[in-house]
Amino acid sequence: MNPHSSPIVVFDLDGTLAETAGDLIGTLNVILARNGHAPLPLEQARDLLGAGARALIQRGFTVAGASLTPERLETLFQDFLSYYGAHLTDNSHLFPGVVEALDRLEAAGFRLAICTNKVEAHAVALLDALGIGHRFRTIVGKETFAFSKPDPRHITATIERAGGDLHRAVMVGDSKADVAAAKAAGIPVVGVTFGYTPVPMRELAPDWVIEHFDALPDAVGALLARETVKPAA
């Protein structure tokens, strides 16, 4: 254990800290419309989120009954980034209790970091626009390293970059990729129930499940204290 490192909580972004589906699906629908396809209803399309913009586009066009070559996908990805970058917070906001939970964690001595499959520049801009970007020691996106979730190195490299202690770290996320990456890294994971996943969070079997950020600081403390983990079911 590095005596100079600190306990750390690593957060996913979309569907974990912030409700961003409206702007992400809104952008997808703009891209679909430009290519002659009908828009997808927000509630139907929420479950397409979680693996980054390329995957969202691929999934969206599949639902629309269209196939994409790798070259066409890359062109649409650049179109997506351009439009979304100008509409990051049209309909996005923090989930209830986020600021208060961050306050409590920082007061307890935790470093905070972001590990997201969102493009890093958009993650930074979104967090700054939502007023919490300065809270995080590092903000790591999908392309920051040569790997991304569910690869466990995405989380461990984020922790190292933030000066956190790998043995006193907790991941917080909303998707299968978050849970799988954390488990593969040997890091306890808290799953939120209000994010973007086609499989209910409890079925993904994280170490702890929360339904509101009010419960996060106590969950993190309990996991790191190696107390009996509250059943996810």
Side-chain angles (χ1 to χ4, degrees):
M1 183 180 299
N2 185 344
H4 301 297
S5 60
S6 302
I8 186 169
V9 181
V10 180
F11 294 90
D12 175 53
L13 178 48
D14 297 307
T16 299
L17 287 176
E19 172 63 273
T20 57
D23 292 320
L24 288 165
I25 300 305
T27 301
L28 172 63
N29 282 334
V30 167
I31 302 302
L32 286 169
R34 287 176 178 174
N35 289 270
H37 301 291
L40 301 179
L42 177 59
E43 286 308 310
Q44 173 191 347
R46 281 173 63 91
D47 291 346
L48 303 180
L49 299 167
R54 283 189 183 85
L56 174 61
I57 296 165
Q58 185 77 68
R59 293 167 179 175
F61 275 75
T62 297
V63 171
S67 59
L68 297 172
T69 64
E71 295 78 15
R72 184 61 180 154
L73 176 59
E74 188 60 29
T75 297
L76 295 177
F77 174 65
Q78 296 303 323
D79 292 345
F80 185 101
L81 293 184
S82 178
Y83 185 90
Y84 180 62
H87 298 272
L88 287 170
T89 56
D90 288 0
N91 298 287
S92 296
H93 56 85
L94 296 175
F95 284 111
V98 165
V99 172
E100 293 82 0
L102 298 182
D103 286 343
R104 288 177 59 190
L105 289 168
E106 286 188 317
F110 286 92
R111 295 187 181 205
L112 308 174
I114 296 289
C115 180
T116 175
N117 278 336
K118 199 181 200 73
V119 170
E120 181 182 323
H122 284 168
V124 171
L126 175 61
L127 289 162
D128 284 346
L130 294 174
I132 60 170
H134 65 285
R135 310 289 294 263
F136 301 98
R137 297 299 182 107
T138 191
I139 298 172
V140 169
K142 186 176 182 69
E143 82 294 358
T144 305
F145 304 120
F147 36 78
S148 60
K149 296 177 297 184
D151 191 315
R153 294 175 296 173
H154 201 195
I155 297 176
T156 56
T158 298
I159 293 168
E160 291 168 356
R161 186 175 179 182
D165 187 340
L166 287 168
H167 301 288
R168 293 185 293 164
V170 175
M171 178 70 194
V172 183
D174 71 309
S175 71
K176 181 178 180 179
D178 297 319
V179 175
K183 287 188 173 184
I187 292 167
V189 55
V190 175
V192 304
T193 60
F194 39 78
Y196 312 138
T197 170
V199 179
M201 177 51 66
R202 286 179 172 82
E203 294 182 20
L204 297 177
D207 298 288
W208 207 291
V209 175
I210 63 170
E211 298 182 355
H212 192 286
F213 269 96
D214 288 353
L216 180 63
D218 289 343
V220 169
L223 287 171
L224 293 188
R226 300 188 180 183
E227 297 176 1
T228 301
V229 176
K230 184 178 180 180

